Amino acid sequence: MTALVLTTANRSATFFGTLIDALDKAITMARAVHHDSPSADDIKNVRAIAATI
């Protein structure tokens, strides 16, 4: 029973860590783009960040 609880807790922590990383990258992408008029450099930055996902 203890092994099951530890396995479940480990999977939950891993999932939570992955979720936090994805949110951090999404925030970074949002900050990389000027929302009024995105430039080619903005798009390059977003593509570079997306490539790391």
Side-chain angles (χ1 to χ4, degrees):
M1 185 72 172
T2 303
L4 178 62
V5 170
L6 290 175
T7 302
T8 303
N10 187 26
R11 286 183 181 176
S12 295
T14 302
F15 175 75
F16 185 69
T18 303
L19 179 65
I20 294 299
D21 289 342
L23 288 173
D24 183 47
K25 288 181 182 181
I27 291 168
T28 304
M29 280 190 220
R31 289 182 180 163
V33 175
H34 298 96
H35 295 284
D36 296 337
S37 57
S39 67
D41 287 336
D42 292 339
I43 302 303
K44 282 184 186 177
N45 288 340
V46 170
R47 286 185 179 155
I49 295 166
T52 65
I53 296 176

